[in-house]
Amino acid sequence: MARELGWYASFSVAFGFVSIATGIFTTYGAVLATSGPRGIWAWPISVIGQLSVALIFGALAARIPISGYSYQWVSRIVGPVWGWIMGWISFAFLGVVLVAVDYTIASTILPELFQYVGTTQNAWVITAAVVLLQSVLVAASTRTTHRVNNVAVTVQLVGMITLTVLLFAVGAFTGKLDFAHLFEAGSVPESGYYALGGATDAGPFALAFLLGAFTIVGFESAANLAEETKDPARVIPKAMVQAVISLGVLGFLFLVAITAAAGRIDGAEASATPVATVITAVLGSVVGKILLVLVVVSIFSCGLVITLSGTRLVYAMSRDERFPGWQLLKRIDRRTATPLNASVFMMLIAQIILAVFSSSTDALFQLFSAGTLLPALIYAGTVAMYAAKRRSLPASQGFSLGRWEIPVLVVAAVWLAYELLIFRDASFRAPWIYVLVLFAIGAVYFIGLIIRRGRSGLTMPDMADVDRALDTADTAGRTPADTATEANAR
């Protein structure tokens, strides 16, 4: 593959996947309900925690600048069995976060934009249509998908900055900003607000960390374009870290503006769509709706990138003959030059997940909870792998933590352990059930895979360009297993 992508393209992928517009619009209402306005102060701490994870991923990407998600990295560093497990978790995450992102459009933005009453039924139908449209675009053209994302990231940057500035300026001019509101607990009891909670419940402030933990994820997707990026060992770590920092700062300023304005708007905290309600109340219906359209564009683009990432992961695992139905899912359509079957499969999985969750009146909370739990598991596994294997990894080619490596590892480990402990709360029962069911399905398939082929049949090329290796195998008429064996022999 030609190395033609520069810093902005790499930054756009990381920024577009994270999408603060998506994360905040999705989770802000839940934070107000569980933690009150004061819950926004958990955001800076979450950003520091996720930044430590991004730094470790950057150090890893600089050592192994290879296409693919954690499935590819872990398969080559630890072994194919652990790599498959990480790939399956990543697949589960991409499926549920796609639905969570698209459900945001249907449940929080469009009702405010077009002034209709949102229900579980119309949210289901609209989300299903959005998922279908994104899948059609991804299946039709990967190049078009990247172009849409680049434009949408620019729109999101301009739109969110403009939106934040206008909220502060207009809110101050009209007297609709109440900064004292930032420190209030709202309807949440003051007693035990900062408590850690018990064995099956997390404290109110602890639950507020899910806002940042759900939003600041997906930055590692920039590493998926390593083999198409110029000087990837330097560019990709820089892009990931800068995306997290810029999103963290911009996101917090936006949260401050929204929360300060909410204190002077009657019914804002009780609204099913508090962010959209505040924007419309402060900026007026015309300007508010224009900016909400920009937010819809940003969220749609985020879902588009997730669809592309999920399709690529399914295709990559199928190409290695390690995914259910790999015989069909590894095929490339001659007309579109895309993994059409994998695109259709990802769309069907998203529709099934949507059907499971959408009958609940609390569907958005359940979706974003599952979409936070799964990446936390992925990050924890990858950080643990890096900590265990850091001395045996290849030398860094452009980015190193140096003497800060141990402190960053400690911060990341403490942060991820704390984040995972939040999910002991009884309100996360449904996400855990989803995760366990997906794990059980994966375990059954993987056991069968081991029985049929054995561990030796799962060997992967060691630090090799799997895309180029398998393209060569297809041209020569060899199997992926033959190519893997030859790569390992070299």
Side-chain angles (χ1 to χ4, degrees), residues 168-413:
F168 276 118
V170 176
F173 181 77
T174 58
K176 291 183 178 179
L177 294 182
D178 179 9
F179 290 104
H181 191 57
L182 303 176
F183 304 94
E184 296 175 359
S187 59
V188 181
E190 286 280 359
S191 178
Y193 184 87
Y194 294 103
L196 295 177
T200 59
D201 65 285
F205 189 64
L207 292 172
F209 285 91
L210 297 179
L211 173 62
F214 174 79
T215 305
I216 311 295
V217 295
F219 45 81
E220 72 280 5
S221 58
N224 196 36
L225 300 176
E227 293 158 23
E228 304 168 58
T229 304
K230 301 173 184 176
D231 195 10
R234 297 180 184 275
V235 169
I236 290 174
K238 179 181 177 181
M240 289 194 294
V241 171
Q242 289 181 337
V244 172
I245 293 174
S246 60
L247 287 161
V249 173
L250 179 56
F252 185 64
L253 291 174
F254 180 70
L255 283 170
V256 169
I258 285 290
T259 307
R264 297 286 175 85
I265 298 172
D266 293 335
E269 292 185 25
S271 172
T273 58
V275 176
T277 299
V278 170
I279 290 174
T280 302
V282 175
L283 302 180
S285 59
V286 175
V287 175
K289 286 184 177 180
I290 291 174
L291 292 172
L292 287 177
V293 170
L294 296 181
V295 172
V296 170
V297 172
S298 299
I299 296 176
F300 180 84
S301 172
C302 176
L304 192 64
V305 173
I306 295 170
T307 302
L308 178 63
S309 299
T311 297
R312 183 174 178 87
L313 176 64
V314 169
Y315 167 71
M317 294 182 71
S318 299
R319 186 181 53 187
D320 295 335
E321 302 180 3
R322 298 177 190 180
F323 201 84
W326 59 266
Q327 296 89 340
L328 292 175
L329 299 178
K330 71 172 185 176
R331 295 180 181 176
I332 298 295
D333 185 76
R334 294 181 180 274
R335 293 172 298 175
T336 63
T338 63
L340 178 61
N341 291 344
S343 300
V344 173
F345 176 81
M346 198 67 198
M347 184 271 294
L348 293 176
I349 291 297
Q351 299 290 4
I352 292 172
I353 294 172
L354 173 62
V356 170
F357 281 97
S358 63
S359 60
S360 169
T361 56
D362 201 20
L364 193 58
F365 175 78
Q366 304 296 347
L367 285 165
F368 96 72
S369 297
T372 309
L373 171 60
L374 286 162
L377 293 173
I378 295 169
Y379 292 160
T382 306
V383 168
M385 173 201 70
Y386 181 88
K389 297 288 186 177
R390 63 190 180 89
R391 296 189 183 280
S392 60
L393 294 175
S396 176
Q397 302 177 42
F399 177 83
S400 174
L401 296 175
R403 62 182 180 179
W404 293 99
E405 184 176 53
I406 298 299
V408 169
L409 273 171
V410 171
V411 172

Side-chain angles (χ1 to χ4, degrees), residues 396-468:
S396 176
Q397 302 177 42
F399 177 83
S400 174
L401 296 175
R403 62 182 180 179
W404 293 99
E405 184 176 53
I406 298 299
V408 169
L409 273 171
V410 171
V411 172
V414 172
W415 158 245
L416 291 170
Y418 179 77
E419 181 186 349
L420 288 171
L421 282 174
I422 297 173
F423 287 93
R424 73 188 185 281
D425 193 273
S427 61
F428 302 119
R429 180 182 177 184
W432 272 114
I433 291 175
Y434 163 79
V435 170
L436 293 175
V437 169
L438 263 292
F439 282 6
I441 294 172
V444 170
Y445 175 78
F446 191 63
I447 290 172
L449 189 64
I450 293 292
I451 292 174
R452 291 197 312 271
R453 297 171 56 183
R455 288 177 63 93
S456 61
L458 300 179
T459 303
M460 294 186 72
D462 184 26
M463 306 302 180
D465 177 347
V466 69
D467 294 329
R468 199 169 292 129

Side-chain angles (χ1 to χ4, degrees), residues 84-266:
W84 189 93
I85 293 172
M86 192 62 70
W88 187 258
I89 297 174
S90 300
F91 160 69
F93 161 60
L94 292 169
V96 73
V97 78
L98 171 61
V99 178
V101 164
D102 290 343
Y103 200 83
T104 303
I105 295 177
S107 64
T108 68
I109 310 297
L110 295 186
E112 183 72 24
L113 190 60
F114 295 107
Q115 295 297 303
Y116 67 87
V117 177
T119 66
T120 56
Q121 289 77 21
N122 57 41
W124 184 352
V125 172
I126 294 170
T127 305
V130 173
V131 169
L132 177 61
L133 178 57
Q134 289 165 338
S135 299
V136 169
L137 286 173
V138 169
S141 173
T142 300
R143 179 175 295 179
T144 299
T145 301
H146 282 299
R147 287 177 177 173
V148 170
N149 180 58
N150 288 339
V151 172
V153 164
T154 303
V155 168
Q156 182 176 181
L157 271 170
V158 174
M160 290 300 292
I161 291 173
T162 302
L163 183 55
T164 303
V165 170
L166 285 177
L167 284 171
F168 276 118
V170 176
F173 181 77
T174 58
K176 291 183 178 179
L177 294 182
D178 179 9
F179 290 104
H181 191 57
L182 303 176
F183 304 94
E184 296 175 359
S187 59
V188 181
E190 286 280 359
S191 178
Y193 184 87
Y194 294 103
L196 295 177
T200 59
D201 65 285
F205 189 64
L207 292 172
F209 285 91
L210 297 179
L211 173 62
F214 174 79
T215 305
I216 311 295
V217 295
F219 45 81
E220 72 280 5
S221 58
N224 196 36
L225 300 176
E227 293 158 23
E228 304 168 58
T229 304
K230 301 173 184 176
D231 195 10
R234 297 180 184 275
V235 169
I236 290 174
K238 179 181 177 181
M240 289 194 294
V241 171
Q242 289 181 337
V244 172
I245 293 174
S246 60
L247 287 161
V249 173
L250 179 56
F252 185 64
L253 291 174
F254 180 70
L255 283 170
V256 169
I258 285 290
T259 307
R264 297 286 175 85
I265 298 172
D266 293 335

